Amino acid sequence: YPDKMNAAEYAAYINDFNQAQTFSNAEIEEFRKTGGTDWLDAITQVGLRNDHQISYSQKLDKLSVYLSGRYNDEEGTMINTKSGANYSLRSKIGFQPSKRLTMDLDITAAKSQTKNGGLSTGTSKADPFFQALIWSPTEPIWLDEENGIYNNSDHFGALLDSPYMNVMEQNRFSESHNVTSLLNANYKIADFLTYTVTGFAAKSGSASGNYRNVWLEPNDPYGSRGQSENFNWRLINKIDFNKTFADAHNIILTGVYEAEASESWSLSGTGKKMPLPDLASFYTIGLSNEQSVSSGYGKTSRIAYMGRLNYNYKQRYYFTASYRVDGKSGPANRVEENKFGAFPSFAASWRLSEEPFMKANGLFDNLKFRAGWGQTGNPCPFVYTVMKSNNYDYGIGADILGYIP
């Protein structure tokens, strides 16, 4: 932390700055004895973390198993913050029923929750850490500690609320959970032909709540809740042909079909003007006299095809060509040419270091010349956005027609 004036030094500074006896000598002497208020010390604590993990693994003739579990919780370095009840479980199973077939299945499940998470980041001027550096050490934390009345006004330094009050009155939570699975299978159809399939699926969800009481929102306390769910999957099918003819011509052919989709749901609500604010908090915002609700839904999908040829002659002369087609979900009224994107590419190279005349001089271990050409692209993240006309004034006496999304 930066070196700061203590309360006695700060009080003397205020007297010099104001050219007046704002603080008496007795008050300065009392500050020298008590130290005043160390705001950073008031809002921080020693963070404690518990982390427990257990695992089991065994490999048999055709089966391998790995299981693990983990639990951790943590008291934050800022008071009134916590991350707890975080669980994760993992199961990974490998199976090889024959020399040609291998399979792996990996499943992971996790759950986590936080209390007042993100409060200690200090990224905003209103955050407690930032205010703790600004608030005067001559200001007390409490006006009436017995009745829970904070001192919320800094007479000489900060303009915003007390950092101690800001931390202690926060009441927000977040929790998340997810289950993911990954399957890999490889089948050797022949010595030169292999089929591989990869499947992925994930289901996740999150929930959050936030209550801003009369200390944080004196004019209009409110409670809010939010929840979201997401499901996505991906499937990749790949076949590889790899064979060398006459000990000179190596050909590798690859074909890929890929498909993926995701779907998400969200719901949030806010309640204001609660009849019993501190009792309702964010748990029963339906009791509030003013409510607002919003929801969301999204769904996307994508498919892709790819073919690739790799050829080399005695590892000297190489040629590569590929062609990929991608299609992504979007408005039904799109023009046909915008539904799919095609991306061809090719390249040729000469491995000069494999030529006999280059090997003889021994100058290079590996020297290759390569030239290629290809097209690349990215799917538009705003597939449902359309362009509309708009008039722009550039100060030339007449509007110019343009377009905006």
Side-chain angles (χ1 to χ4, degrees):
Y1 300 131
D3 188 19
K4 297 180 61 181
M5 289 185 287
N6 59 38
E9 294 169 335
Y10 188 74
Y13 164 76
I14 292 296
N15 285 350
D16 290 340
F17 182 82
N18 292 337
Q19 295 295 303
Q21 195 72 14
T22 306
F23 292 97
S24 67
N25 292 333
E27 288 176 315
I28 294 176
E29 186 60 31
E30 184 65 21
F31 285 140
R32 190 169 285 112
K33 292 178 181 178
T34 63
T37 302
D38 186 335
W39 290 100
L40 282 172
D41 184 65
I43 66 171
T44 56
Q45 62 185 3
V46 176
L48 297 175
R49 180 180 177 88
N50 294 308
D51 199 334
H52 310 274
Q53 186 171 356
I54 187 171
S55 63
Y56 165 82
S57 63
Q58 186 171 5
K59 187 171 184 179
L60 304 175
D61 182 27
K62 297 181 179 180
L63 183 70
S64 62
V65 178
Y66 173 80
L67 304 172
S68 69
R70 186 176 185 180
Y71 169 85
N72 66 73
D73 61 54
E74 183 176 4
E75 293 284 346
T77 54
M78 179 174 285
I79 58 176
N80 200 27
T81 62
K82 183 178 181 180
S83 171
N86 302 323
Y87 306 90
S88 64
L89 299 171
R90 185 183 180 190
S91 168
K92 186 175 182 180
I93 299 174
F95 183 49
Q96 187 175 3
S98 68
K99 292 183 178 180
R100 293 187 177 275
L101 178 62
T102 58
M103 293 183 291
D104 291 290
L105 177 62
D106 195 342
I107 300 176
T108 303
K111 176 182 177 294
S112 64
Q113 60 184 30
T114 62
K115 176 185 179 183
N116 295 327
L119 192 61
S120 60
T121 57
T123 56
S124 168
K125 186 180 291 187
D127 287 337
F129 264 134
F130 199 106
Q131 287 301 305
L133 296 172
I134 300 175
W135 262 66
S136 305
T138 53
E139 294 291 346
I141 293 177
W142 301 97
L143 294 179
D144 184 354
E145 185 174 1
E146 184 177 351
N147 293 306
I149 307 299
Y150 298 98
N151 172 29
N152 212 22
S153 297
D154 186 348
H155 296 85
F156 307 105
L159 300 176
L160 300 181
D161 293 336
S162 157
Y164 184 82
M165 180 282 296
N166 198 351
V167 173
M168 293 303 297
E169 296 303 316
Q170 293 287 340
N171 185 8
R172 61 193 191 197
F173 84 96
S174 64
E175 61 180 30
S176 62
H177 59 271
N178 66 79
V179 178
T180 62
S181 60
L182 177 65
L183 172 67
N184 284 298
N186 184 282
Y187 184 64
K188 199 167 186 178
I189 303 171
D191 291 340
F192 55 86
L193 190 62
T194 303
Y195 170 69
T196 304
V197 60
T198 300
F200 170 83
K203 182 74 165 65
S204 62
S206 64
S208 62
N210 187 14
Y211 176 57
R212 304 277 293 181
N213 63 16
V214 292
W215 280 106
L216 299 172
E217 299 289 340
N219 297 323
D220 198 1
Y222 68 86
S224 62
R225 285 293 303 268
Q227 188 169 346
S228 65
E229 297 285 336
N230 181 272
F231 175 72
N232 61 86
W233 61 267
R234 190 175 190 181
L235 181 66
I236 303 173
N237 295 272
K238 184 168 74 111
I239 190 164
D240 291 290
F241 172 93
N242 187 341
K243 194 167 185 178
T244 300
F245 300 90
D247 294 327
H249 305 274
N250 177 249
I251 297 176
I252 301 175
L253 294 171
T254 301
V256 176
Y257 168 73
E258 183 179 340
E260 65 179 4
S262 66
E263 198 168 7
S264 61
W265 306 261
S266 64
L267 179 66
S268 61
T270 300
K272 298 181 179 181
K273 296 181 173 57
M274 298 180 179
L276 299 171
D278 289 335
L279 293 178
S281 184
F282 48 67
Y283 296 105
T284 54
I285 59 177
L287 298 177
S288 59
N289 294 312
E290 182 180 324
Q291 303 168 12
S292 62
V293 179
S294 63
S295 61
Y297 174 77
K299 185 177 183 180
T300 62
S301 59
R302 184 181 68 88
I303 59 172
Y305 308 88
M306 193 274 289
R308 183 174 60 212
L309 164 67
N310 286 298
Y311 167 79
N312 78 79
Y313 175 72
K314 292 187 176 182
Q315 296 185 344
R316 297 182 196 171
Y317 314 109
Y318 295 80
F319 176 77
T320 300
S322 67
Y323 192 78
R324 182 182 177 104
V325 177
D326 282 84
K328 189 173 182 180
S329 57
N333 60 353
R334 284 180 300 173
V335 293
E336 190 66 29
E337 57 265 28
N338 289 341
K339 293 182 179 180
F340 289 89
F343 308 100
S345 69
F346 62 85
S349 60
W350 178 22
R351 195 175 181 188
L352 198 60
S353 56
E354 290 300 309
E355 296 290 353
F357 65 88
M358 288 297 294
K359 286 184 176 181
N361 60 40
L363 290 176
F364 300 99
D365 291 327
N366 188 13
L367 177 63
K368 180 190 287 188
F369 294 103
R370 186 177 187 274
W373 174 91
Q375 288 184 337
T376 61
N378 294 307
C380 176
F382 311 107
V383 293
Y384 291 96
T385 300
V386 296
M387 303 296 290
K388 67 177 182 179
S389 60
N390 187 63
N391 291 321
Y392 293 91
D393 182 5
Y394 291 101
I396 58 176
D399 288 346
I400 302 298
L401 177 65
Y403 295 89
I404 59 174

